Amino acid sequence: MDFVLANCTHAVLFSAKQRTLKGRSTLVRGRKQKVSVIRISNFAAEVSGSRAAASGRSDGSGESKNWQVPKSSTALELLDIERGVCIPFRKYSPETVRNKVLESRGAVLSLISRGVEIVWSLGLYWSTLMYDCFVGRDEEVVPFRAQQLRNLLCNLGPSFIKAGQVLANRPDIIREDYMNELCILQDDVPPFPNEVAFNIIEEELGRPLEAVFSKISSRTIAAASLGQVYRATLRDSGEDVAIKVQRPKIEPIIYQDLFLFRTLASFLNGISLQKLGCNAELIVDEFGEKLLEELDYTLEARNLEDFLENFKNDPTVKIPRVYKQLSGSRVLVMEWIDGIRCTDPQAIKNAGIDVDGFLTVGVSAALRQLLEFGLFHGDPHPGNIFAMRDGRIAYVDFGNVAVLSQLNKQILIDAVVHAVNEDYAEMANDFTRLGFLAPGTDVAPIIPALEAIWQNSAGKGLSDFNFRSVTGKFNQLVYNYPIRIPERFSLVIRSLLTQEGICFTLKPNFKFLEVAYPYVAKRLLTDPNPALRERLIQVLFKDGMFQWKRLENLIVLAKENVVKMSSNPALQKNDLQGSGKVEKKLDLKDTIKDGARLFLLDAGIRRQLLLALTEDSQLHVQELVDVYRLLEDQIDVPSMALEVARDFPTVVRDLMLAWTESVLSDR
């Protein structure tokens, strides 16, 4: 891991030099990190593209990264670099798993026994698939074989149930009809006995149940691959809580299975490199890392705290509190969420909840996680999302989260910009930078396929566009080209698809992009991040021509987002209690100030804007007037003038420095 640590150090020094840190900590996930697990996501952002580095691309910071990934790097090191997340002290590594498995007496015999069980079960299943193919009935029995596979994974235990849940979101590995059947594993897992669960709770608490809880449910509220949930009441405070209990004796089985998975993967590297552009060990490492994180409920408690911190000023989102003094590695006690399941649209309507407002809140919360926080709920199936009776959206179950580095977020926004500008060659390069394609992969054959997918989907307009149709076409692309979907992005894709499905359940004619576009437009116009300013300029210029209509559309969409959110019943009701801030207008102060600064200091931008005003041998005054009319009710001119005046000395200083530098460079 010396290579990774060295590059983390490089990233810290580079980032410290490039940025002035403002506001909250930029260490991962919106809060200061614990000593036990060090994550350096934003600091390591520039390092995160071994893929960007390999192609000699710039990440938008103004410097090209020329270092190369050594061939000796392990799969786990490549995973760290690709993510932009450095984890020197981690729960998972191939060495840790091997040592854990082999440390006990009789480990070899136990491994052989488990290996025989797995090989026998999977071998029988594989032989039935081969027989179906031999007799020519492989397509007609697909539904039955998919169901057989789901039952087989359940019988093989939690590691395989979890693997099935992962495969349900990996079109690069398994075909779509099998994926749909494996999705059932997300909700339908048999529970284990109450007596066993209650004994585990008492062991973790070090006290009898009656001493802590005055009441506990006799039946499980939910059962998952790694644990199950009960409802209880605290004896001291009378508060209702949810108790998540881990399945008994699960850890040794999972470590054994991970050891066997990686051993098998080492023999499949050649096939995986040919089909996916990466070795099979990398896929197992991704899976193992997420699985062991989910196995430790203390990490889920940290995830809860991170989400609470991120949404603390958002009155439309409810995140449950965690009772850390009652929690441990196998038991998690958190606030009980008294909400309505999103699979029950009639109950939501009967509760008097505004469905349109609730859907707007849900989409905005999902996009904030993805593009703003970089910490994304990775498993938002209908059992994990609730509608509160005051219109808020509530999330539960934070064991599975996706962590995106600052660079990942910027590249995602780049991909959106390239899609808007119909720059499919750059969109293909974005895939390489995000880790979907191996460095050096020829993207030329992929460009026409991307163009066909996007144009066929976007050409239908907002009314018919949905992520499921785009994902279905993308799955075909993944199946035909050496594309690997990194684990974090498979979680993002699954999350967006699941939440879009929830939206359709509540409102069949819901238009996801009609909510998503205004949010993205608002972010491009108002976000203080300088990187987004650059993306805004890219959006507004196409082939050197200023897109006046696109600017007007962005303003209209951004205003629409502000109106929808400020008039949302959930936001208004909760804001009255002082829990958040309602934005009534677009906050364009930073955008206007930065625009004025760019116009004065950047000769290239100044030339482009002046050309935009005189394109086609005519003065575009009317376009300026139209833009002003769209903004006149959003801008307080006196306060804006005061802001510009305050910034004037700094602008003059920068002008003088730029002039001096140009004079000296000429000489």
Side-chain angles (χ1 to χ4, degrees), residues 362-382:
V363 173
S364 298
L367 292 172
R368 288 194 74 193
Q369 293 172 50
L370 177 60
L371 298 176
E372 187 175 338
F373 305 137
L375 180 67
F376 203 85
H377 195 299
D379 191 21
H381 64 75

Side-chain angles (χ1 to χ4, degrees), residues 64 82 97 112 144 160 186 201 205 207 211 225-226 252 269 285 421 440 475 508 527 530 542 560 629:
S64 176
E82 175 191 287
V97 170
I112 293 173
F144 175 70
F160 285 84
Q186 294 170 354
I201 297 173
L205 292 175
R207 289 178 284 172
S225 55
L226 302 183
N269 280 335
D285 287 341
N421 288 342
N475 290 350
D527 198 288
K542 183 180 179 182
E560 180 184 327
R629 284 176 178 167

Side-chain angles (χ1 to χ4, degrees), residues 581-632:
K581 178 185 176 183
V582 180
E583 293 183 353
K584 301 291 186 182
K585 295 181 179 180
L586 281 174
D587 184 6
L588 293 167
K589 291 194 296 292
D590 289 335
T591 307
I592 293 174
K593 285 164 58 180
D594 285 358
R597 179 186 291 272
L598 274 174
F599 183 81
L600 291 171
L601 298 178
D602 193 312
I605 293 294
R606 185 164 61 248
R607 181 175 180 276
Q608 282 183 302
L609 288 173
L610 289 174
L611 287 174
L613 290 170
T614 57
E615 283 171 358
D616 302 324
S617 301
Q618 59 176 325
L619 197 62
H620 291 265
V621 177
Q622 186 58 48
E623 284 84 349
L624 276 176
V625 172
D626 292 340
V627 170
Y628 175 75
R629 284 176 178 167
L630 286 172
L631 292 174
E632 61 182 340

Side-chain angles (χ1 to χ4, degrees), residues 555-598:
I555 295 169
V556 170
L557 288 169
K559 288 172 66 175
E560 180 184 327
N561 179 266
V562 171
V563 170
K564 277 187 176 180
M565 292 302 292
S566 62
S567 62
N568 188 289
L571 192 147
Q572 289 182 327
K573 187 183 298 183
N574 291 292
D575 187 69
L576 291 175
Q577 301 169 6
S579 59
K581 178 185 176 183
V582 180
E583 293 183 353
K584 301 291 186 182
K585 295 181 179 180
L586 281 174
D587 184 6
L588 293 167
K589 291 194 296 292
D590 289 335
T591 307
I592 293 174
K593 285 164 58 180
D594 285 358
R597 179 186 291 272
L598 274 174

Side-chain angles (χ1 to χ4, degrees), residues 267-332:
F267 294 103
L268 300 176
N269 280 335
I271 298 173
S272 181
L273 281 168
Q274 181 182 2
K275 298 292 184 182
L276 302 175
C278 71
N279 63 39
E281 290 173 324
L282 176 61
I283 296 173
V284 174
D285 287 341
E286 285 183 317
F287 173 70
E289 188 171 64
K290 295 302 297 181
L291 184 54
L292 293 190
E293 283 184 9
E294 284 192 68
L295 200 60
D296 187 349
Y297 287 176
T298 59
L299 294 182
E300 183 172 349
R302 286 184 56 237
N303 292 339
L304 267 165
E305 291 180 333
D306 290 336
F307 273 84
L308 274 167
E309 174 69 19
N310 287 340
F311 284 108
K312 66 181 180 181
N313 294 321
D314 191 334
T316 68
V317 179
K318 172 65 178 175
I319 306 295
R321 300 190 312 277
V322 60
Y323 295 81
K324 294 189 74 172
Q325 71 278 10
L326 300 176
S327 302
S329 61
R330 296 185 297 162
V331 173
L332 181 66

Side-chain angles (χ1 to χ4, degrees), residues 147-206:
Q147 187 177 4
Q148 261 191 332
L149 177 61
R150 175 171 59 83
N151 293 331
L152 172 63
L153 295 177
C154 280
N155 293 334
L156 284 173
S159 304
F160 285 84
I161 294 173
K162 207 69 195 174
Q165 293 173 347
V166 170
L167 288 174
N169 305 284
R170 296 301 296 261
D172 51 337
I173 299 175
I174 193 169
R175 51 187 285 174
E176 189 171 2
D177 34 25
Y178 279 82
M179 286 169 52
N180 294 334
E181 180 67 29
L182 293 179
C183 283
I184 299 174
L185 290 173
Q186 294 170 354
D187 296 310
D188 187 13
V189 179
F192 58 93
N194 288 345
E195 295 78 14
V196 177
F198 294 162
N199 286 336
I200 293 173
I201 297 173
E202 289 182 336
E203 287 174 13
E204 287 290 309
L205 292 175

Side-chain angles (χ1 to χ4, degrees), residues 4-19:
V4 179
L5 293 173
N7 281 303
C8 283
T9 305
H10 164 79
V12 171
L13 295 174
F14 181 85
S15 295
K17 179 180 177 182
Q18 293 293 319
R19 295 187 182 86

